[in-house]
Amino acid sequence: SQDRDLLSARRSYQLLRGIQQQPPEPLTVQRPGQPESGHFSRMLEAGLGQRAGRAYASYGLRLAYHDLLDNHQGFPLGAQIEMAALKVRQYLVSNRWQLQQLDMVDIRSLAPRTDLVRPLSWQVAAGLQQVDGHRARQEVLASYLGGGAGLTWQWQPGLLAFTLLTGRLEHSRVQSPWISPGIGLDSGLLWRNAAGSALLEFEGNYFADGGLRHKVSLAQQVELGRNLGLRLSARRAFSRTAGSHAELELALRWYLFEE
């Protein structure tokens, strides 16, 4: 027994000497960036675009805070919190001004699932938005409340794939009944790349009154600085009542007024 104790002590001593001579590499944990290190909270936007062959200028203002394609420094990929986002269009030939959208709130949480953590992705939005009317090239302003839930997967670092089942309540002057409920699907790919961030998205909605709308969009934001970005977006939309049309827009986004 005494021999075994001496042998055990000798081996323990040799092990400690080995650890001392070859210490393990220091553990480094990468800390995520903080929102205060990212872009400023408010945003001004100006751009040029074309919808169904008609050229327009667009102007936007958002009071807070961040969308999926904004400069990602300090923000997790797949997180969006927007409040009081206004967008106005000026059609250049006719000089007609149009309120394009007023989103009071638009929140998205696309949290990827892992072997240990399996969160539910979700989104909720409410406000005013131009939607396809009953004739080609016609839009009408609709108030809406929408939300959805689903799953997000991280295919590789910086690349998320998501699918959500959605619901929407909508009211406009051309809809019957007064409030039209709808169900739909929202799927896409969100890619953080060397230039900034890109989003490929498919949205489809079917309404109780028989209305059917779907849209495919692709957008890329190029980061020109911490508080300056250039966003190129293309959309192809289809409506059962108004047919299909395409949009292309290039906008400069300036972030200002740090909280």
Side-chain angles (χ1 to χ4, degrees), residues 189-207:
L189 297 173
L190 178 60
W191 178 38
R192 180 173 291 176
N193 53 68
S197 296
L199 177 64
L200 173 64
E201 188 169 14
F202 168 82
E203 301 173 71
N205 289 281
Y206 178 78
F207 292 90

Side-chain angles (χ1 to χ4, degrees), residues 131-135 211-214 237-245:
V131 301
D132 289 326
H134 285 332
R135 292 180 298 174
L212 174 66
R213 294 199 304 263
H214 61 72
F238 170 83
S239 167
R240 177 175 290 173
T241 56
S244 63
H245 67 270

Side-chain angles (χ1 to χ4, degrees), residues 16-173:
L16 290 174
R17 287 194 59 186
I19 294 175
Q20 185 177 19
Q21 293 172 358
Q22 295 182 345
E25 296 182 1
L27 179 63
T28 57
V29 178
Q30 186 176 4
R31 297 184 59 186
Q34 301 300 310
E36 57 266 24
S37 68
H39 61 78
F40 290 167
S41 61
R42 299 177 187 173
M43 185 271 298
L44 290 176
E45 178 182 34
L48 293 173
Q50 179 176 281
R51 179 187 187 274
R54 296 180 296 165
Y56 63 82
S58 66
Y59 313 96
L61 167 66
R62 185 185 67 200
L63 297 185
Y65 189 62
H66 177 81
D67 74 11
L68 295 178
L69 296 182
D70 285 335
N71 191 330
H72 54 256
Q73 180 181 343
F75 297 90
L77 184 65
Q80 170 174 301
I81 301 178
E82 289 191 290
M83 299 185 70
L86 170 70
K87 196 165 186 178
V88 177
R89 282 185 182 179
Q90 176 192 12
Y91 284 95
L92 300 180
V93 174
S94 62
N95 196 32
R96 182 171 66 89
W97 290 77
Q98 176 176 284
L99 173 62
Q100 193 63 24
Q101 68 183 67
L102 174 59
D103 293 330
M104 301 309 299
V105 62
D106 190 348
I107 302 175
R108 307 183 77 177
S109 176
L110 305 178
R113 296 164 66 87
T114 67
D115 293 337
L116 297 178
V117 181
R118 300 185 178 184
L120 186 68
S121 295
W122 59 275
Q123 61 187 33
V124 62
L128 302 173
Q129 189 178 71
Q130 292 286 344
V131 301
D132 289 326
H134 285 332
R135 292 180 298 174
R137 299 177 54 168
Q138 182 194 56
E139 288 183 298
V140 294
L141 189 64
S143 55
Y144 77 96
L145 171 64
L151 304 177
T152 300
W153 302 267
Q154 182 166 311
W155 284 358
Q156 63 183 45
L159 179 61
L160 300 182
F162 61 90
T163 296
L164 292 85
L165 296 176
T166 62
R168 184 177 173 104
L169 294 175
E170 190 173 284
H171 164 72
S172 73
R173 59 181 174 83

